[in-house]
Amino acid sequence: MIKKSVRAVVYGLLILLCQLPAAQAASDITLAEAINKAGRQRMLSQRIVKSYLQMGQDVRYRVAKKHLGESIDLFELQLKQLKDFTTNPEATRGLALVEKLWIPVKQIATGPVQREKAEELRANAERLLAAAHQVVLILADESGTNQGHLVNIAGRQRMLSQRMGNLYMLMSWKFADELYRQDYKAATSEFDTALQELINANENTPEISAILSQVKQNWDLYNLSNRMGEDEFVPGLVARMLDKILGQMNEVTGLYAALPQAK
């Protein structure tokens, strides 16, 4: 009963926040947890864009504004934690690039919400996402375990949930670039494939399997609700459903990161 209550609070009030304490010292972070944090940076790059676009269309405005502020703060906190944690020269160089690419994203995201800035923000966030992803791959390769792979894949699902969201918001705000529709379809396909891989993972505990089953149910519902015509959009519903999936995948990623390490 207590666990269910805590989970309800996490989903309802703190969907974004990680399972580990925000002020966790770098010396207390395991490599699997570092992969989790680095993977969450990918998600935050996409969540910032999604929240900005929601605010611009007045879609769950107060929630989106809260998420935007939290995302900016958490990105900067985790960037510092990762820089303090890693001694891997390749990861250090990767984080230096992330820090450089973060500057223009933050500059737009902390300014007034303007439609003419939306695509510039997304373009900058795409470059940031690519750099953050490289850091995850470096750390996952350093781990040399399937646990690191699972943390990476589960963490990428968090990113995809928010990537689908920001692409959907672009389309609902009448940005007509066909590339957005293609990217949206690619993200949904990738999410579906990766979800099946996670469901079939031998490392899954009963708790992980139970949450992944919930993700599958919500994903199926999302696909049903997402049937839209050329100009038919339901951005409020999409934002709520993808945020719910994000919360569940965040929990799964944390559970993978907490598994006993084994070569």
Side-chain angles (χ1 to χ4, degrees):
M1 180 65 68
I2 293 176
K3 179 180 285 188
K4 288 183 179 179
S5 298
V6 171
R7 186 174 297 168
V9 171
V10 172
Y11 290 162
L13 300 176
L14 299 173
I15 289 175
L16 172 64
L17 299 182
C18 56
Q19 299 295 315
L20 302 172
Q24 186 176 19
S27 59
D28 296 332
I29 299 174
T30 66
L31 181 55
E33 290 165 348
I35 297 169
N36 183 12
K37 289 177 182 290
R40 192 180 291 111
Q41 299 291 77
R42 298 178 299 195
M43 178 274 287
L44 292 171
S45 75
Q46 303 299 291
R47 190 169 179 79
I48 286 169
V49 179
K50 171 175 163 284
S51 300
Y52 186 96
L53 293 168
Q54 282 184 235
M55 291 171 65
Q57 297 172 80
D58 198 21
V59 174
R60 307 182 75 215
Y61 182 92
R62 285 185 294 179
V63 173
K65 183 177 181 181
K66 178 176 180 287
H67 287 171
L68 181 61
E70 289 175 340
S71 297
I72 292 168
D73 291 344
L74 187 55
F75 191 98
E76 294 196 319
L77 172 63
Q78 291 187 150
L79 181 57
K80 181 180 186 306
Q81 289 175 331
L82 290 166
K83 287 171 61 180
D84 291 343
F85 167 81
T86 189
T87 57
N88 182 319
E90 191 177 2
T92 298
R93 289 192 294 271
L95 288 168
L97 178 58
V98 168
E99 189 169 32
K100 178 181 178 181
L101 295 174
W102 168 241
I103 294 172
V105 172
K106 182 182 178 182
Q107 184 176 16
I108 296 175
T110 55
V113 177
Q114 301 173 343
R115 190 178 190 279
E116 56 268 29
K117 288 287 186 178
E119 291 185 292
E120 182 183 352
L121 174 61
R122 184 176 187 274
N124 287 329
E126 287 295 282
R127 289 186 281 271
L128 179 62
L129 169 62
H133 181 58
Q134 287 304 309
V135 173
V136 180
L137 294 181
I138 293 166
L139 294 175
D141 184 64
E142 183 181 341
S143 78
T145 67
N146 199 48
Q147 179 193 19
H149 171 73
L150 291 172
V151 173
N152 174 25
I153 296 300
R156 187 166 175 79
Q157 295 291 79
R158 295 178 300 196
M159 181 278 290
L160 288 170
S161 75
Q162 300 306 287
R163 183 174 181 79
M164 287 183 282
N166 79 49
L167 287 162
Y168 190 97
M169 296 304 157
L170 280 166
M171 293 185 291
S172 72
W173 210 0
K174 308 306 180 186
F175 286 99
D177 193 332
E178 180 59 27
L179 180 61
Y180 297 148
R181 286 187 177 271
Q182 294 174 9
D183 284 351
Y184 181 80
K185 291 178 181 178
T188 56
S189 176
E190 184 178 348
F191 186 98
D192 191 64
T193 300
L195 180 57
Q196 290 304 314
E197 178 181 351
L198 294 174
I199 288 172
N200 295 329
N202 293 328
E203 290 83 355
N204 289 349
T205 64
E207 184 176 11
I208 290 174
S209 293
I211 300 172
L212 286 173
S213 178
Q214 295 171 12
V215 173
K216 180 66 165 60
Q217 291 175 13
N218 287 324
W219 178 240
D220 289 343
L221 286 173
Y222 174 78
N223 282 325
L224 286 174
S225 69
N226 189 35
R227 310 289 184 188
M228 61 186 183
E230 190 67 25
D231 294 307
E232 297 175 359
F233 297 96
V234 284
L237 176 61
V238 163
R240 284 193 299 271
M241 295 192 72
L242 289 176
D243 282 347
K244 187 172 184 179
I245 290 173
L246 167 61
Q248 291 169 327
M249 287 310 310
N250 190 58
E251 188 171 4
V252 168
T253 309
L255 289 170
Y256 279 134
L259 288 174
Q261 298 183 47
K263 291 287 184 183

